[in-house]
Amino acid sequence: MARQAILGLFDDASAAADAGDALKSAGIPESDYNFLTDVPYPEGALGEGMERHRLWVWPLLGGLVGLIVSLLIGSMSPLAVPMTIADKPILEMPPLSVICYTGALLGAILFTVVGLVLALRPNISNRLSDDRISQGMIGLLVNAGAEQGSNVTNILNEAGAVDVTNA
Amino acid sequence: MQEGKVLPAAQINRDLLRSILETPRWFWPVVSILGLVVLAATITIGIMINTGLGITGLNYKVVWGFFITNFVFWIGISHAGVMLSAILRLAKAEWRRPATRAAEVLTIFSLMTAMIMPIIHTGRPWRILYWAFPYDFARGIWPNIRPPLVWDPSAILTYLTSSTLFVLIALVPDFAVLRDRTTGWPKIVYTMLAMGWEGNPRQWKLQIIAGVLLSALILPVFVSVHSIVSWDFGMAVAIKSWHSTVFAPYFVVGAVHSGVSAVVFAMILLRWAYGWQDYIRHEHIDALGRLLIVVATGWFYFLVMEIIFGIYGLEGDELAVRALQFLPGEYGVAYNVWMIVFVGITYFLPVILWLPKAWRRNLWIMSAACISVNVGMWLERYLLFVPGQANKQFLTFTWNDYLPRWPEALIVAATFAFVSMLMLLFSRVFPLVPLYDIKEGDILRTEMQIGRRKLTATFRED
């Protein structure tokens, strides 16, 4: 069934939150609408559900990978090309720990960014948007079935939308 | 209490994107002049590589001079980014908002500049590859990981990678604003960089959590980088005055001192150049001034400790270096005079200027104090490295002092032009004050009546 994108613009967070509640009451699932803002509003301020994430797993995983890789490079390189300097052992813990420390942190940081990019699910295709959102307005983007279109438009208007546009 | 007024989002966009969407008349002439200085230095580097390091003032005895001093100086400046951005972000300090981006970007460009110094200092830059990277598996050539000279590139490259990613992640929402305001190829580029950002609650949450995670992860890198740089010297057993256990914290605190001062000066310049009086306000400079008093005093403590630790052991060679630093010059170079100048302009003069509130809010005085700190911190590194090498040692059959020549002076001067040019070019394509951070500060702001006073306050979510 064809679906259409409808964007309502609000100049007040409470009105946008009311519109979200009205959509929910009208039987539109939360996954079918999204608030669009130019600032991070405190979580739940717009009546949206709490988002769960597992971003914290990535630095742990990355740290472990970085540690293992740097441990391998740090231990294999002196063993591959042994250089005897004074009475120092070929494989020394202090330098190895410095390399491992740096490697683990690098791994953790790289994996965090990879995890973030994957979680953001980049999609650069054109979507219904409005420049007024970056000027402080709050957008409520509804992905509604064709038969729900007029109902959604009414709900947005009744909640106090400044403007409602269809894709 | 917070100052300034709450501005509409449209005006914030207009003001902070002006540097990108319009070109000020002074922009290209200034960039061209800076570019010419950089070009002159590049040609000089070419001549130096072609003819050898003999054209510099470096000699058999003093092998680490202006270039290494400048390397440590720029590594120090790079510490401002993390100090301001990561620590203040984790602490949710409200006044961080206009300062973070400029500080982070300054970190990246300072690091890039710092990395150039040891590379050209080697005389044969291509050989760096053999020393630092495990790349030639076929010939079985591996770097020797035992000296700190190999830890250095690993730590600095880690810091550079982390800082760059940190800035890019923080820029994503601003890329989206630019995407919606540009046309043609800039729009294509900003669209790619914005990665489909639309500003929904899920994206904001992930972006904020990633910011917190990266802040927490970069902080240990930040501490390790300058610690490792200090070990380049601290682990050199042969040079007496360098063999100090207090070097790591001393270098880290010194780096923060010079870095934050540089950020303050950069913010004042940006405020003046782009008319950002509503964003970079006196209260922000005032808060940074107060922070600098604490940092400067911490640095001064380590400076004194470093000297006391050096003298306390009563080792002959160490005392000889200290005598060279503090007593009238043996070789005609008055290190003692420079030491007095350095301590005066790095600690006493700026701290006196930062103490009165009215002076912290005077941008001319703050600029002078911050320039003074950075001149002093450059001198500090020079006076830490050169006398130790110039000192006459047992069984040394030749010794010399060090007098830099024009190639070194030009290259060092050009590094300042290089960083300034990169900052200006960055401001031409990316916002140097984070739009969403400023807007967030505004929506969380409110006015409270307490007794007979009306105060501006900001909500903070725990």
Side-chain angles (χ1 to χ4, degrees), chain B residues 16 36 46 51 72 85 87 93 96 103 108 119 146 156 225 254 258 275 299 319 352 360 378 413 432 452:
Chain B
L16 298 182
L36 282 175
T51 55
V72 179
S85 189
I87 295 180
R96 76 178 191 277
I108 296 173
I119 291 173
R146 282 180 290 184
I156 292 172
V225 170
S258 64
W299 168 83
L319 290 177
I352 289 168
R360 285 198 304 272
W378 202 96
L432 262 178
R452 290 183 181 169

Side-chain angles (χ1 to χ4, degrees), chain A residues 37 51 83 92 119 131 134, chain B residues 13 146 181 198-199 202 205:
Chain A
T37 58
E51 290 282 350
M83 279 184 281
E92 283 184 283
D131 188 38
S134 71
Chain B
N13 290 342
R146 282 180 290 184
R181 275 179 171 62
E198 52 184 16
R202 178 185 158 73
K205 181 166 185 176

Side-chain angles (χ1 to χ4, degrees), chain B residues 197-232:
Chain B
W197 181 270
E198 52 184 16
N200 63 47
R202 178 185 158 73
Q203 288 178 333
W204 280 119
K205 181 166 185 176
L206 288 168
Q207 210 260 0
I208 288 168
I209 289 173
V212 171
L213 284 174
L214 287 174
S215 299
L217 288 168
I218 285 181
L219 280 175
V221 181
F222 142 78
V223 175
S224 79
V225 170
H226 224 49
S227 300
I228 289 175
V229 168
S230 82
W231 296 338
D232 286 345

Side-chain angles (χ1 to χ4, degrees), chain A:
Chain A
M1 189 179 287
R3 298 184 76 79
Q4 66 177 130
I6 302 167
L7 179 66
L9 290 175
F10 297 84
D11 53 12
D12 176 55
S14 305
D18 291 344
D21 291 343
L23 288 172
K24 220 181 293 177
S25 307
I28 294 173
E30 230 177 306
S31 56
D32 280 354
Y33 65 88
N34 228 334
F35 293 97
L36 313 179
T37 58
D38 66 337
V39 284
Y41 276 83
E43 194 168 15
L46 299 169
E48 79 280 14
M50 296 288 174
E51 290 282 350
R52 296 179 66 82
H53 70 91
R54 290 184 180 276
L55 206 56
W56 53 270
V57 174
W58 289 91
L60 292 176
L61 186 66
L64 190 66
V65 171
L67 182 69
I68 292 168
V69 170
S70 51
L71 196 63
L72 286 174
I73 291 178
S75 57
M76 280 168 63
S77 57
L79 292 175
V81 189
M83 279 184 281
T84 309
I85 301 167
D87 284 335
K88 291 180 179 174
I90 297 296
L91 196 62
E92 283 184 283
M93 277 313 289
L96 193 58
S97 59
V98 172
I99 297 290
C100 288
Y101 177 87
T102 310
L105 284 168
L106 179 62
I109 288 164
L110 289 176
F111 271 60
T112 304
V113 174
V114 170
L116 174 69
V117 172
L118 292 177
L120 282 175
R121 299 177 205 133
N123 179 1
I124 57 169
S125 60
N126 279 332
R127 295 182 188 183
L128 186 59
S129 185
D130 195 296
D131 188 38
R132 283 173 287 179
I133 294 170
S134 71
Q135 295 177 15
M137 284 200 168
I138 297 162
L140 180 49
L141 181 63
V142 190
N143 188 17
E147 77 289 350
Q148 293 172 308
S150 57
N151 187 28
V152 167
T153 306
N154 285 339
I155 290 172
L156 296 178
N157 280 323
E158 279 171 19
V162 175
D163 193 12
V164 179
T165 49
N166 292 10

Side-chain angles (χ1 to χ4, degrees), chain B residues 286 289-290 292-294 297 347-361 365-366 369:
Chain B
D286 181 3
R290 276 180 277 152
L292 276 167
I293 295 172
V294 178
T297 306
Y347 183 72
F348 292 104
L349 174 68
V351 169
I352 289 168
L353 294 176
W354 290 328
L355 282 175
K357 185 176 180 180
W359 289 4
R360 285 198 304 272
R361 285 170 172 256
I365 291 177
M366 280 301 284

